[in-house]
Amino acid sequence: GKEFEFDSSMVAFESFSRGKFEASEEKGIFCAINTELTADLVIEGHAREIVNKIQYMRKQAGYEVMDRIEIFFGQEPEIQAAVNTFGEHIFNETLGKNLAQKVENLYSENWDINGIATTIGIRKV
């Protein structure tokens, strides 16, 4: 039956992560992010790694910034899923023009794309 007055110095708020969420608070702003990796996010991650590797290969091969290329992708199901889903993005980002059917006569490298061993090949067209 007694009344108490509280001010902010008398109250402590604590944030914590639970399940698939990571949470943080700073200066009175609270943020929680879902960190669950869905199948779509994993495939998008593969596509982004593929773009990164192709851009690296373009530089190693000495291609000019505006050179169009032909690209060969490994046949691993996860790589093919990334190319099927994000092929337009991959080709736009790397100036890919054609899809190569075989790796012969291409500048190629073996890569680890998020734990998937694959080969990528490129050739200026």
Side-chain angles (χ1 to χ4, degrees):
K2 294 184 181 182
E3 289 187 23
F4 293 95
E5 288 190 29
F6 292 95
D7 64 30
S8 61
S9 68
M10 301 169 74
V11 179
F13 291 94
E14 188 175 316
S15 64
F16 59 93
S17 299
R18 177 178 259 176
K20 60 186 175 181
F21 292 93
E22 288 293 325
S24 182
E25 182 274 327
E26 187 173 321
K27 296 182 182 177
I29 298 174
F30 178 79
C31 180
I33 298 174
N34 183 341
T35 58
E36 180 180 23
L37 290 178
T38 65
D40 290 341
L41 286 174
V42 170
I43 290 171
E44 182 177 354
H46 295 337
R48 290 178 182 275
E49 277 298 303
I50 290 167
V51 168
N52 176 273
K53 301 310 184 203
I54 293 171
Q55 298 294 43
Y56 176 83
M57 291 173 65
R58 287 177 59 91
K59 183 177 178 181
Q60 292 302 110
Y63 295 168
E64 297 295 324
V65 173
M66 296 307 294
D67 286 342
R68 297 298 217 159
I69 60 172
E70 182 174 31
I71 307 171
F72 169 85
F73 299 101
Q75 300 303 305
E76 298 76 21
E78 301 91 345
I79 300 302
Q80 288 302 304
V83 172
N84 291 340
T85 305
F86 293 98
E88 184 176 344
H89 171 75
I90 293 169
F91 274 74
N92 286 339
E93 290 295 311
T94 62
L95 296 181
K97 186 173 181 178
N98 301 321
L99 181 62
Q101 298 303 313
K102 54 186 177 177
V103 74
E104 289 83 21
N105 302 318
L106 301 179
Y107 172 70
S108 65
E109 290 198 30
N110 296 318
W111 294 104
D112 179 317
I113 305 289
N114 301 321
I116 302 158
T118 192
T119 301
I120 298 174
I122 61 173
R123 173 177 48 213
K124 186 167 47 169
V125 292

